[in-house]
Amino acid sequence: MLPKILSRCVLALALFGAVGGTGRATPPGPSAPPAPEPRRIVTDMCGRQVSLPARIRRVITAGEGCPAMNAHLFALGQADTIVNGLPVIPHPPWKYQLVFAPRMSRQPAVAPPSGMPFLEVLQGMPHDVVLVKTPLLAHLLSERGFTTACLFWRGKEGIVTSIRSLGEIMNCPDRAQAYLDYYQDVVRRVAAREADLPRSQRRTVLYLQVSPLQAGALSTASTTVLRAGGRYAPLPDLSLENQVLDPEQLLVLDPDVILVRNGQEKARLLADPRFSLLRAVQGRTVVVVPYGALAWTHATPEQALGILWLAKLLYPKRFADVDMAGEARAFYHRFFGTDLTEAQLQDILRPAPEPPATGRAEAPPAP
């Protein structure tokens, strides 16, 4: 009798526990809402106070300067945070951006190369921050509810200030400092080898856009030239970013070395009879600038490579031991997280003429 009573008690207790003593099952209660992610206040390059999450997972690079902002993100190991694609233009020169960030080939463009982004596209893209180049665009997008931060680069310290600012925005100051240490080390290495070189023996250089004829990217190209130990061709006003030239002005400047952006520009200049007497044409020192994520002469992280490459070009005996393919390989592995093949490295160092227009950059095929 006792065992039967005990068994009934055990069964009753079990049922009581199952229904919570209420006679009916208690539905599970709502889960507690996740704790809000901590935020921080960052001052962007326009002097604006921006509230950002502690960890940035999704970045939109919008409007003018999109490819350069991408390159900055690559250098800080943040390629996977970019949620947009590249601008769609004829003859896109950015094929290696799709090597450094393959996902961008499947992501939508959010803006033309310059001008107002496509608001209807932006509104459908979750983001932690939209990087823009100008205060006006930052203000316009902020007024429409987007979290924006300014990032731009210009002048002698352009790359230093932009990398440092992006390190704060992305909350990775150590990565930013590692790049800046590398950049300053390149500048010191080059300066040490040229310390005894008098000004009169330093070669003159001009970064030239041939069609239409103008000296372009002055604030950044001139910085690269000066830090490589050259002298920038004596243009009347280096405060201008682009200066239209006439053929007579170019003949008067007559630089030792002319840098151009691609093989087609080089071919045009060499074939133009008006410029046949230029020293750079006669001496075959019209040179295509290496192009990875962007041109190495510009104020993006590859400018460090550009300084070393140009120093070797200007003074080959002083830099005879510098292996630019090796330097580039190590750079892209360390900062962009990409191991390039030998064929890709040579393609970057000696860019081929642009392909026919396709409207969208295509990654170079694996060799």
Side-chain angles (χ1 to χ4, degrees):
M1 186 73 175
L2 183 59
K4 197 176 285 189
I5 294 172
L6 287 173
S7 64
R8 288 175 182 170
C9 291
V10 169
L11 179 59
L13 287 170
L15 290 171
F16 183 85
V19 299
T22 64
R24 55 187 171 81
T26 303
S31 58
E37 187 169 359
R39 299 186 74 82
R40 57 205 167 88
I41 302 297
V42 173
T43 302
D44 72 5
M45 294 187 71
C46 298
R48 301 164 59 252
Q49 300 288 300
V50 184
S51 175
L52 297 172
R55 180 182 173 192
I56 303 290
R57 296 177 176 86
R58 296 163 300 190
V59 179
I60 296 173
T61 55
E64 182 184 2
C66 162
M69 290 184 280
N70 291 343
H72 279 70
L73 289 163
F74 300 161
L76 299 189
Q78 303 291 326
D80 287 344
T81 66
I82 302 170
V83 296
N84 56 281
L86 288 162
V88 178
I89 63 169
H91 305 296
W94 310 303
K95 62 183 181 180
Y96 277 97
Q97 295 223 355
L98 303 182
V99 173
F100 304 131
R103 292 195 316 172
M104 286 202 301
S105 65
R106 304 185 297 274
Q107 293 167 176
V110 298
S114 61
M116 190 68 180
F118 309 131
L119 291 178
E120 67 280 6
V121 178
L122 283 182
Q123 287 165 349
M125 298 180 70
H127 68 280
D128 296 315
V129 65
V130 182
L131 294 180
V132 297
K133 189 179 177 183
T134 66
L136 177 59
L137 187 52
H139 174 74
L140 290 174
L141 291 181
S142 295
E143 288 290 299
R144 289 161 175 78
F146 297 99
T147 300
T148 61
C150 283
L151 184 75
F152 54 84
W153 43 93
R154 189 172 181 181
K156 187 175 180 181
E157 299 299 322
I159 186 63
V160 174
T161 54
S162 59
I163 284 286
R164 184 170 289 124
S165 178
L166 186 60
E168 294 177 4
I169 291 169
M170 300 301 296
N171 205 12
C172 57
D174 292 345
R175 287 292 298 255
Q177 190 59 51
Y179 171 81
L180 294 175
D181 289 344
Y182 171 83
Y183 183 90
Q184 297 299 344
D185 181 63
V186 167
V187 173
R188 285 191 294 267
R189 285 167 60 192
V190 170
R193 295 193 183 202
E194 299 171 347
D196 63 335
L197 191 63
R199 177 176 171 79
S200 60
Q201 294 180 24
R202 293 179 182 258
R203 305 184 77 189
T204 56
V205 183
L206 182 67
Y207 181 81
L208 188 69
Q209 182 175 311
V210 179
S211 181
L213 191 65
Q214 64 179 17
L218 293 181
S219 67
T220 58
S222 61
T223 296
T224 304
V225 169
L226 294 173
R227 288 187 169 162
R231 288 186 292 145
Y232 209 72
L235 294 163
D237 186 359
L238 285 179
S239 67
L240 296 175
E241 189 61 18
N242 299 287
Q243 289 188 26
V244 176
L245 300 175
D246 58 45
E248 291 75 18
Q249 285 177 301
L250 181 56
L251 291 170
V252 169
L253 292 172
D254 196 17
D256 296 310
V257 176
I258 293 176
L259 305 177
V260 294
R261 61 183 179 173
N262 57 50
Q264 290 180 342
E265 293 273 275
K266 176 178 178 177
R268 288 192 191 104
L269 186 66
L270 294 178
D272 194 323
R274 296 174 298 172
F275 305 126
S276 61
L277 296 180
L278 286 171
R279 277 183 288 187
V281 170
Q282 293 191 334
R284 294 290 168 171
T285 52
V286 178
V287 183
V288 178
V289 172
Y291 204 110
L294 282 173
W296 282 11
T297 46
H298 291 28
T300 67
E302 291 158 303
Q303 189 183 60
L305 289 172
I307 292 169
L308 192 56
W309 165 81
L310 185 55
K312 182 178 174 70
L313 175 71
L314 297 178
Y315 313 111
K317 291 183 180 179
R318 290 173 181 257
F319 294 89
D321 62 319
V322 173
D323 171 20
M324 280 311 306
E327 293 278 348
R329 183 185 300 108
F331 174 90
Y332 289 119
H333 172 80
R334 179 181 176 187
F335 294 107
F336 284 33
T338 302
D339 292 314
L340 296 177
T341 67
E342 192 63 29
Q344 288 172 326
L345 289 166
Q346 293 306 320
D347 184 39
I348 287 172
L349 284 163
R350 301 183 182 89
E354 292 175 351
T358 61
R360 180 177 289 275
E362 296 181 359

